[in-house]
Amino acid sequence: MNVKPGDLFFGLVDFLAYIVPGSVFCLTFPAYFGSEKLAMIDVTCASPTVFSWFVFILASYVAGHFVHHIGAMLLNPLYVRTYEAHKRKKYKDFIQATERLISEKVPLHDNLFKTAEAQLRFNHPTLVPELEKHLANAKFFRSLCVLCLYLCFYRTVTGIMIPFLVVLSCFAFLRYASQRWTYHFKMYEYLALSYQQSSPQDR
């Protein structure tokens, strides 16, 4: 049985993409202003309570969404102008042919990729879990990229750790871009194949 990342309210995707970066943010952000952590979310004390852990996880989840949103604002345009532009040029004929098919068969709106995504989810839901693995990985590495750059300014991070975090952030961005493009490209591949199988010539 295939399990999609969205099948559970809280799953591995939420933990990696939101809880992990959010927890690091909650633990380090007060130090930027020289203030102490709030007692109700301080899980680094000698004997944290169950309530402290609950509030800390909840706060991390919320903060993780903030980090995720910042990553989307900063890295999505960079991805579109660099990695995606290069890949679209490399697979120009296939992309244009597939997008022409989408606009002819399902003229929903101008965002052809969103149309393709909706059609594949509606007509071929069994293919979605494999695609969502790439999307989940992309979200995690995008958050990791932002988190590494954020930690470069933390007061205890000095010396060789700063260039290490910068390099790690670059690798995280490349992995994010690769996984996002794979999600995009496979979506078009599956949709093109479904069109071919449903065409009258092949029946």
Side-chain angles (χ1 to χ4, degrees):
M1 180 174 118
N2 288 324
V3 179
K4 301 188 295 294
D7 282 344
L8 299 175
F9 175 75
F10 177 80
L12 184 61
V13 177
D14 300 283
F15 180 76
L16 293 177
Y18 304 119
I19 299 295
V20 172
S23 63
V24 174
F25 183 83
C26 288
L27 289 171
T28 58
F29 188 73
Y32 278 88
F33 300 96
S35 58
E36 296 182 357
K37 303 181 185 70
L38 292 175
M40 67 172 59
I41 65 170
D42 187 9
V43 295
T44 61
C45 62
S47 55
T49 64
V50 175
F51 178 75
S52 296
W53 276 108
F54 175 78
V55 175
F56 174 74
I57 292 173
L58 182 61
S60 298
Y61 186 72
V62 175
H65 277 276
F66 171 74
V67 175
H68 182 78
H69 182 65
I70 294 296
M73 290 177 58
L74 296 177
L75 300 182
N76 285 5
L78 180 61
Y79 161 80
V80 170
R81 294 175 184 175
T82 56
Y83 197 94
E84 185 181 22
H86 170 71
K87 290 293 186 179
R88 288 184 70 92
K89 184 177 180 181
K90 182 177 180 180
Y91 299 102
K92 179 180 178 181
D93 294 338
F94 171 73
I95 296 294
Q96 288 182 345
T98 305
E99 291 183 341
R100 187 163 52 249
L101 279 173
I102 297 170
S103 61
E104 291 173 356
K105 292 181 177 293
V106 193
L108 291 178
H109 47 69
D110 294 336
N111 193 328
L112 298 178
F113 178 72
K114 289 296 183 183
T115 301
E117 189 177 36
Q119 187 177 7
L120 199 67
R121 288 178 181 274
F122 184 78
N123 294 327
H124 306 279
T126 56
L127 297 175
V128 174
E130 181 186 350
L131 292 171
E132 286 194 336
K133 292 176 185 176
H134 299 292
L135 184 61
N137 287 334
K139 290 181 178 181
F140 167 67
F141 283 105
R142 183 172 60 189
S143 294
L144 179 62
C145 179
V146 174
L147 187 62
C148 289
L149 293 178
Y150 162 78
L151 289 176
C152 287
F153 299 95
Y154 191 59
R155 61 180 184 178
T156 60
V157 176
T158 56
I160 196 173
M161 285 299 298
I162 294 178
F164 172 76
L165 287 171
V166 172
V167 172
L168 184 59
S169 178
C170 293
F171 277 111
F173 173 79
L174 290 175
R175 185 61 176 167
Y176 147 70
S178 174
Q179 289 296 295
R180 181 171 174 177
W181 173 255
T182 300
Y183 174 75
H184 191 146
F185 191 74
K186 282 191 173 183
M187 182 76 70
Y188 275 11
E189 279 186 326
Y190 290 161
L191 200 61
L193 287 172
S194 70
Y195 285 153
Q196 185 178 15
Q197 289 177 351
S198 61
S199 62
Q201 295 88 339
D202 296 332
R203 287 177 182 173

